[in-house]
Amino acid sequence: MAVINGITLMKDYTTYASIRLVLQAIAVEVGMRTRQAGLVGGSVHLGVRYTRTSERRGFSKQKKLDRFTADEQDFLPALLTLFLDGWEETEAVRYVSVALGKLEPRSDHVQLSFFEDEWAKARRYDFLDLVDQLNVRFGRGTLRPASSLLKDSPLRTRQRLIGGHKQGGDAR
């Protein structure tokens, strides 16, 4: 069982900076869906497909996480590492999927550490739960990362779509 989200991009993405925005946006969505289900994941999976004109198809990689989590800040570095390990810089990316796997109930995983501030982690989860509740109540994208306002962010484009399609009725 896994929480998965993928996106077919509206254009080819060729720079690490723009692809990083895509990975960050998908990680936020996967984290939110995992928290809403009351789960945490122990592994992260990345799937990438290149553009149709490419001779290569893409790649798929996964990694076990150091600790179970549903916080995108915890699993995003692993995603970025997986991407950099598999990406051919000459290839344009057209599809990206992210999955959080090895899911278990969140209440079963209270991992204490001498080296991390557990109270800060608990406050972070409380904050993320509040953001998730507001986004459910008032609509997706009510509260989102500032990076979603950047030109290459897929969230910026997706806010103007209905069901993945352009909104109708606009004569312009």
PDB file of all heavy atoms in Angstrom, residues 81-107:
ATOM      1  N   THR A  81      17.647  13.418  -4.104  1.00  0.00           N
ATOM      2  CA  THR A  81      18.805  12.547  -4.309  1.00  0.00           C
ATOM      3  C   THR A  81      18.492  11.470  -5.346  1.00  0.00           C
ATOM      4  O   THR A  81      19.299  11.210  -6.248  1.00  0.00           O
ATOM      5  CB  THR A  81      19.229  11.889  -2.979  1.00  0.00           C
ATOM      6  OG1 THR A  81      19.557  12.915  -2.045  1.00  0.00           O
ATOM      7  CG2 THR A  81      20.411  10.965  -3.163  1.00  0.00           C
ATOM      8  N   LEU A  82      17.313  10.862  -5.224  1.00  0.00           N
ATOM      9  CA  LEU A  82      16.906   9.846  -6.203  1.00  0.00           C
ATOM     10  C   LEU A  82      16.849  10.450  -7.597  1.00  0.00           C
ATOM     11  O   LEU A  82      17.289   9.826  -8.575  1.00  0.00           O
ATOM     12  CB  LEU A  82      15.543   9.269  -5.840  1.00  0.00           C
ATOM     13  CG  LEU A  82      15.477   8.369  -4.617  1.00  0.00           C
ATOM     14  CD1 LEU A  82      14.031   8.020  -4.289  1.00  0.00           C
ATOM     15  CD2 LEU A  82      16.303   7.114  -4.820  1.00  0.00           C
ATOM     16  N   PHE A  83      16.318  11.659  -7.702  1.00  0.00           N
ATOM     17  CA  PHE A  83      16.215  12.294  -9.009  1.00  0.00           C
ATOM     18  C   PHE A  83      17.595  12.551  -9.609  1.00  0.00           C
ATOM     19  O   PHE A  83      17.853  12.222 -10.768  1.00  0.00           O
ATOM     20  CB  PHE A  83      15.431  13.599  -8.923  1.00  0.00           C
ATOM     21  CG  PHE A  83      15.348  14.299 -10.244  1.00  0.00           C
ATOM     22  CD1 PHE A  83      14.497  13.833 -11.231  1.00  0.00           C
ATOM     23  CD2 PHE A  83      16.149  15.385 -10.520  1.00  0.00           C
ATOM     24  CE1 PHE A  83      14.439  14.448 -12.473  1.00  0.00           C
ATOM     25  CE2 PHE A  83      16.104  16.007 -11.747  1.00  0.00           C
ATOM     26  CZ  PHE A  83      15.246  15.542 -12.734  1.00  0.00           C
ATOM     27  N   LEU A  84      18.477  13.137  -8.822  1.00  0.00           N
ATOM     28  CA  LEU A  84      19.814  13.450  -9.336  1.00  0.00           C
ATOM     29  C   LEU A  84      20.591  12.187  -9.704  1.00  0.00           C
ATOM     30  O   LEU A  84      21.387  12.202 -10.646  1.00  0.00           O
ATOM     31  CB  LEU A  84      20.586  14.288  -8.317  1.00  0.00           C
ATOM     32  CG  LEU A  84      20.111  15.731  -8.175  1.00  0.00           C
ATOM     33  CD1 LEU A  84      20.819  16.427  -7.028  1.00  0.00           C
ATOM     34  CD2 LEU A  84      20.294  16.494  -9.474  1.00  0.00           C
ATOM     35  N   ASP A  85      20.353  11.091  -8.988  1.00  0.00           N
ATOM     36  CA  ASP A  85      21.040   9.835  -9.294  1.00  0.00           C
ATOM     37  C   ASP A  85      20.567   9.224 -10.617  1.00  0.00           C
ATOM     38  O   ASP A  85      21.332   8.537 -11.288  1.00  0.00           O
ATOM     39  CB  ASP A  85      20.825   8.813  -8.176  1.00  0.00           C
ATOM     40  CG  ASP A  85      21.602   9.158  -6.914  1.00  0.00           C
ATOM     41  OD1 ASP A  85      22.471  10.052  -6.976  1.00  0.00           O
ATOM     42  OD2 ASP A  85      21.325   8.538  -5.865  1.00  0.00           O
ATOM     43  N   GLY A  86      19.306   9.460 -10.992  1.00  0.00           N
ATOM     44  CA  GLY A  86      18.776   8.811 -12.179  1.00  0.00           C
ATOM     45  C   GLY A  86      18.636   9.684 -13.408  1.00  0.00           C
ATOM     46  O   GLY A  86      18.544   9.183 -14.527  1.00  0.00           O
ATOM     47  N   TRP A  87      18.624  10.981 -13.240  1.00  0.00           N
ATOM     48  CA  TRP A  87      18.331  11.903 -14.340  1.00  0.00           C
ATOM     49  C   TRP A  87      19.511  12.091 -15.275  1.00  0.00           C
ATOM     50  O   TRP A  87      20.636  12.342 -14.845  1.00  0.00           O
ATOM     51  CB  TRP A  87      17.915  13.252 -13.771  1.00  0.00           C
ATOM     52  CG  TRP A  87      17.533  14.292 -14.773  1.00  0.00           C
ATOM     53  CD1 TRP A  87      16.738  14.138 -15.859  1.00  0.00           C
ATOM     54  CD2 TRP A  87      17.923  15.663 -14.768  1.00  0.00           C
ATOM     55  NE1 TRP A  87      16.598  15.329 -16.531  1.00  0.00           N
ATOM     56  CE2 TRP A  87      17.317  16.294 -15.882  1.00  0.00           C
ATOM     57  CE3 TRP A  87      18.724  16.435 -13.936  1.00  0.00           C
ATOM     58  CZ2 TRP A  87      17.486  17.627 -16.170  1.00  0.00           C
ATOM     59  CZ3 TRP A  87      18.878  17.776 -14.221  1.00  0.00           C
ATOM     60  CH2 TRP A  87      18.275  18.366 -15.324  1.00  0.00           C
ATOM     61  N   GLU A  88      19.243  11.981 -16.554  1.00  0.00           N
ATOM     62  CA  GLU A  88      20.216  12.329 -17.582  1.00  0.00           C
ATOM     63  C   GLU A  88      19.959  13.796 -17.909  1.00  0.00           C
ATOM     64  O   GLU A  88      18.876  14.137 -18.387  1.00  0.00           O
ATOM     65  CB  GLU A  88      20.003  11.476 -18.833  1.00  0.00           C
ATOM     66  CG  GLU A  88      20.215   9.995 -18.624  1.00  0.00           C
ATOM     67  CD  GLU A  88      21.673   9.647 -18.432  1.00  0.00           C
ATOM     68  OE1 GLU A  88      22.547  10.376 -18.959  1.00  0.00           O
ATOM     69  OE2 GLU A  88      21.946   8.661 -17.740  1.00  0.00           O
ATOM     70  N   GLU A  89      20.921  14.669 -17.665  1.00  0.00           N
ATOM     71  CA  GLU A  89      20.710  16.113 -17.799  1.00  0.00           C
ATOM     72  C   GLU A  89      20.342  16.559 -19.212  1.00  0.00           C
ATOM     73  O   GLU A  89      19.808  17.643 -19.393  1.00  0.00           O
ATOM     74  CB  GLU A  89      21.938  16.873 -17.314  1.00  0.00           C
ATOM     75  CG  GLU A  89      22.112  16.783 -15.817  1.00  0.00           C
ATOM     76  CD  GLU A  89      23.253  17.644 -15.320  1.00  0.00           C
ATOM     77  OE1 GLU A  89      23.385  18.789 -15.780  1.00  0.00           O
ATOM     78  OE2 GLU A  89      24.012  17.150 -14.472  1.00  0.00           O
ATOM     79  N   THR A  90      20.587  15.718 -20.186  1.00  0.00           N
ATOM     80  CA  THR A  90      20.238  16.086 -21.553  1.00  0.00           C
ATOM     81  C   THR A  90      18.776  15.762 -21.874  1.00  0.00           C
ATOM     82  O   THR A  90      18.287  16.134 -22.934  1.00  0.00           O
ATOM     83  CB  THR A  90      21.137  15.326 -22.549  1.00  0.00           C
ATOM     84  OG1 THR A  90      20.975  13.924 -22.338  1.00  0.00           O
ATOM     85  CG2 THR A  90      22.590  15.735 -22.380  1.00  0.00           C
ATOM     86  N   GLU A  91      18.085  15.072 -20.971  1.00  0.00           N
ATOM     87  CA  GLU A  91      16.712  14.638 -21.208  1.00  0.00           C
ATOM     88  C   GLU A  91      15.704  15.592 -20.577  1.00  0.00           C
ATOM     89  O   GLU A  91      15.874  16.044 -19.457  1.00  0.00           O
ATOM     90  CB  GLU A  91      16.490  13.232 -20.645  1.00  0.00           C
ATOM     91  CG  GLU A  91      17.359  12.177 -21.267  1.00  0.00           C
ATOM     92  CD  GLU A  91      17.056  11.954 -22.744  1.00  0.00           C
ATOM     93  OE1 GLU A  91      15.957  12.286 -23.202  1.00  0.00           O
ATOM     94  OE2 GLU A  91      17.940  11.434 -23.438  1.00  0.00           O
ATOM     95  N   ALA A  92      14.627  15.862 -21.305  1.00  0.00           N
ATOM     96  CA  ALA A  92      13.534  16.702 -20.814  1.00  0.00           C
ATOM     97  C   ALA A  92      12.514  15.823 -20.102  1.00  0.00           C
ATOM     98  O   ALA A  92      12.114  14.775 -20.606  1.00  0.00           O
ATOM     99  CB  ALA A  92      12.876  17.438 -21.971  1.00  0.00           C
ATOM    100  N   VAL A  93      12.086  16.258 -18.934  1.00  0.00           N
ATOM    101  CA  VAL A  93      11.135  15.509 -18.110  1.00  0.00           C
ATOM    102  C   VAL A  93       9.713  15.934 -18.472  1.00  0.00           C
ATOM    103  O   VAL A  93       9.422  17.123 -18.591  1.00  0.00           O
ATOM    104  CB  VAL A  93      11.410  15.751 -16.612  1.00  0.00           C
ATOM    105  CG1 VAL A  93      10.345  15.107 -15.751  1.00  0.00           C
ATOM    106  CG2 VAL A  93      12.794  15.242 -16.244  1.00  0.00           C
ATOM    107  N   ARG A  94       8.817  14.932 -18.622  1.00  0.00           N
ATOM    108  CA  ARG A  94       7.425  15.242 -18.971  1.00  0.00           C
ATOM    109  C   ARG A  94       6.431  14.693 -17.943  1.00  0.00           C
ATOM    110  O   ARG A  94       5.309  15.154 -17.860  1.00  0.00           O
ATOM    111  CB  ARG A  94       7.115  14.663 -20.345  1.00  0.00           C
ATOM    112  CG  ARG A  94       5.850  15.157 -20.963  1.00  0.00           C
ATOM    113  CD  ARG A  94       5.860  16.682 -21.057  1.00  0.00           C
ATOM    114  NE  ARG A  94       4.667  17.166 -21.708  1.00  0.00           N
ATOM    115  CZ  ARG A  94       4.657  18.039 -22.691  1.00  0.00           C
ATOM    116  NH1 ARG A  94       5.778  18.568 -23.119  1.00  0.00           N
ATOM    117  NH2 ARG A  94       3.541  18.414 -23.220  1.00  0.00           N
ATOM    118  N   TYR A  95       6.830  13.699 -17.145  1.00  0.00           N
ATOM    119  CA  TYR A  95       5.933  13.116 -16.146  1.00  0.00           C
ATOM    120  C   TYR A  95       6.739  12.773 -14.902  1.00  0.00           C
ATOM    121  O   TYR A  95       7.854  12.261 -14.991  1.00  0.00           O
ATOM    122  CB  TYR A  95       5.281  11.838 -16.685  1.00  0.00           C
ATOM    123  CG  TYR A  95       4.443  11.115 -15.670  1.00  0.00           C
ATOM    124  CD1 TYR A  95       3.123  11.495 -15.423  1.00  0.00           C
ATOM    125  CD2 TYR A  95       4.967  10.057 -14.936  1.00  0.00           C
ATOM    126  CE1 TYR A  95       2.353  10.839 -14.479  1.00  0.00           C
ATOM    127  CE2 TYR A  95       4.201   9.394 -13.991  1.00  0.00           C
ATOM    128  CZ  TYR A  95       2.899   9.786 -13.764  1.00  0.00           C
ATOM    129  OH  TYR A  95       2.145   9.147 -12.815  1.00  0.00           O
ATOM    130  N   VAL A  96       6.154  13.051 -13.728  1.00  0.00           N
ATOM    131  CA  VAL A  96       6.807  12.744 -12.458  1.00  0.00           C
ATOM    132  C   VAL A  96       5.763  12.160 -11.512  1.00  0.00           C
ATOM    133  O   VAL A  96       4.642  12.672 -11.416  1.00  0.00           O
ATOM    134  CB  VAL A  96       7.419  14.008 -11.813  1.00  0.00           C
ATOM    135  CG1 VAL A  96       8.053  13.689 -10.480  1.00  0.00           C
ATOM    136  CG2 VAL A  96       8.435  14.652 -12.734  1.00  0.00           C
ATOM    137  N   SER A  97       6.126  11.078 -10.823  1.00  0.00           N
ATOM    138  CA  SER A  97       5.254  10.526  -9.779  1.00  0.00           C
ATOM    139  C   SER A  97       6.069  10.286  -8.520  1.00  0.00           C
ATOM    140  O   SER A  97       7.256   9.950  -8.588  1.00  0.00           O
ATOM    141  CB  SER A  97       4.587   9.231 -10.238  1.00  0.00           C
ATOM    142  OG  SER A  97       5.535   8.203 -10.362  1.00  0.00           O
ATOM    143  N   VAL A  98       5.400  10.485  -7.389  1.00  0.00           N
ATOM    144  CA  VAL A  98       6.025  10.293  -6.081  1.00  0.00           C
ATOM    145  C   VAL A  98       5.100   9.418  -5.252  1.00  0.00           C
ATOM    146  O   VAL A  98       3.880   9.612  -5.260  1.00  0.00           O
ATOM    147  CB  VAL A  98       6.245  11.647  -5.370  1.00  0.00           C
ATOM    148  CG1 VAL A  98       6.707  11.444  -3.934  1.00  0.00           C
ATOM    149  CG2 VAL A  98       7.239  12.497  -6.139  1.00  0.00           C
ATOM    150  N   ALA A  99       5.676   8.463  -4.545  1.00  0.00           N
ATOM    151  CA  ALA A  99       4.898   7.587  -3.668  1.00  0.00           C
ATOM    152  C   ALA A  99       5.596   7.462  -2.328  1.00  0.00           C
ATOM    153  O   ALA A  99       6.825   7.384  -2.260  1.00  0.00           O
ATOM    154  CB  ALA A  99       4.733   6.215  -4.302  1.00  0.00           C
ATOM    155  N   LEU A 100       4.802   7.452  -1.291  1.00  0.00           N
ATOM    156  CA  LEU A 100       5.293   7.173   0.050  1.00  0.00           C
ATOM    157  C   LEU A 100       4.779   5.782   0.392  1.00  0.00           C
ATOM    158  O   LEU A 100       3.562   5.542   0.381  1.00  0.00           O
ATOM    159  CB  LEU A 100       4.768   8.224   1.028  1.00  0.00           C
ATOM    160  CG  LEU A 100       5.523   8.452   2.316  1.00  0.00           C
ATOM    161  CD1 LEU A 100       6.999   8.739   2.067  1.00  0.00           C
ATOM    162  CD2 LEU A 100       4.909   9.590   3.105  1.00  0.00           C
ATOM    163  N   GLY A 101       5.701   4.855   0.626  1.00  0.00           N
ATOM    164  CA  GLY A 101       5.334   3.461   0.841  1.00  0.00           C
ATOM    165  C   GLY A 101       5.663   2.961   2.225  1.00  0.00           C
ATOM    166  O   GLY A 101       6.108   3.713   3.081  1.00  0.00           O
ATOM    167  N   LYS A 102       5.477   1.654   2.409  1.00  0.00           N
ATOM    168  CA  LYS A 102       5.654   0.997   3.714  1.00  0.00           C
ATOM    169  C   LYS A 102       4.866   1.766   4.771  1.00  0.00           C
ATOM    170  O   LYS A 102       5.401   2.167   5.800  1.00  0.00           O
ATOM    171  CB  LYS A 102       7.130   0.893   4.091  1.00  0.00           C
ATOM    172  CG  LYS A 102       7.918  -0.012   3.183  1.00  0.00           C
ATOM    173  CD  LYS A 102       9.329  -0.198   3.683  1.00  0.00           C
ATOM    174  CE  LYS A 102      10.090  -1.062   2.709  1.00  0.00           C
ATOM    175  NZ  LYS A 102      11.490  -1.186   3.059  1.00  0.00           N
ATOM    176  N   LEU A 103       3.579   1.982   4.489  1.00  0.00           N
ATOM    177  CA  LEU A 103       2.730   2.794   5.352  1.00  0.00           C
ATOM    178  C   LEU A 103       2.305   2.051   6.607  1.00  0.00           C
ATOM    179  O   LEU A 103       2.018   0.857   6.565  1.00  0.00           O
ATOM    180  CB  LEU A 103       1.489   3.251   4.584  1.00  0.00           C
ATOM    181  CG  LEU A 103       1.761   4.107   3.358  1.00  0.00           C
ATOM    182  CD1 LEU A 103       0.460   4.407   2.635  1.00  0.00           C
ATOM    183  CD2 LEU A 103       2.452   5.399   3.747  1.00  0.00           C
ATOM    184  N   GLU A 104       2.281   2.787   7.696  1.00  0.00           N
ATOM    185  CA  GLU A 104       1.829   2.268   8.980  1.00  0.00           C
ATOM    186  C   GLU A 104       1.073   3.376   9.696  1.00  0.00           C
ATOM    187  O   GLU A 104       1.247   4.554   9.384  1.00  0.00           O
ATOM    188  CB  GLU A 104       3.021   1.807   9.813  1.00  0.00           C
ATOM    189  CG  GLU A 104       3.755   0.635   9.187  1.00  0.00           C
ATOM    190  CD  GLU A 104       4.840   0.061  10.070  1.00  0.00           C
ATOM    191  OE1 GLU A 104       4.967   0.485  11.235  1.00  0.00           O
ATOM    192  OE2 GLU A 104       5.571  -0.806   9.580  1.00  0.00           O
ATOM    193  N   PRO A 105       0.228   3.019  10.657  1.00  0.00           N
ATOM    194  CA  PRO A 105      -0.500   4.053  11.406  1.00  0.00           C
ATOM    195  C   PRO A 105       0.452   5.026  12.096  1.00  0.00           C
ATOM    196  O   PRO A 105       1.474   4.616  12.654  1.00  0.00           O
ATOM    197  CB  PRO A 105      -1.312   3.263  12.428  1.00  0.00           C
ATOM    198  CG  PRO A 105      -1.438   1.897  11.841  1.00  0.00           C
ATOM    199  CD  PRO A 105      -0.175   1.677  11.048  1.00  0.00           C
ATOM    200  N   ARG A 106       0.105   6.294  12.028  1.00  0.00           N
ATOM    201  CA  ARG A 106       0.953   7.349  12.598  1.00  0.00           C
ATOM    202  C   ARG A 106       1.135   7.175  14.101  1.00  0.00           C
ATOM    203  O   ARG A 106       2.217   7.416  14.632  1.00  0.00           O
ATOM    204  CB  ARG A 106       0.308   8.698  12.296  1.00  0.00           C
ATOM    205  CG  ARG A 106       1.084   9.891  12.730  1.00  0.00           C
ATOM    206  CD  ARG A 106       0.484  11.104  12.060  1.00  0.00           C
ATOM    207  NE  ARG A 106       0.657  12.299  12.826  1.00  0.00           N
ATOM    208  CZ  ARG A 106       0.110  13.450  12.500  1.00  0.00           C
ATOM    209  NH1 ARG A 106      -0.643  13.548  11.429  1.00  0.00           N
ATOM    210  NH2 ARG A 106       0.313  14.506  13.228  1.00  0.00           N
ATOM    211  N   SER A 107       0.115   6.718  14.787  1.00  0.00           N
ATOM    212  CA  SER A 107       0.183   6.579  16.243  1.00  0.00           C
ATOM    213  C   SER A 107       1.180   5.511  16.680  1.00  0.00           C
ATOM    214  O   SER A 107       1.654   5.527  17.814  1.00  0.00           O
ATOM    215  CB  SER A 107      -1.192   6.260  16.811  1.00  0.00           C
ATOM    216  OG  SER A 107      -1.686   5.069  16.235  1.00  0.00           O
TER     217      SER A 107
END
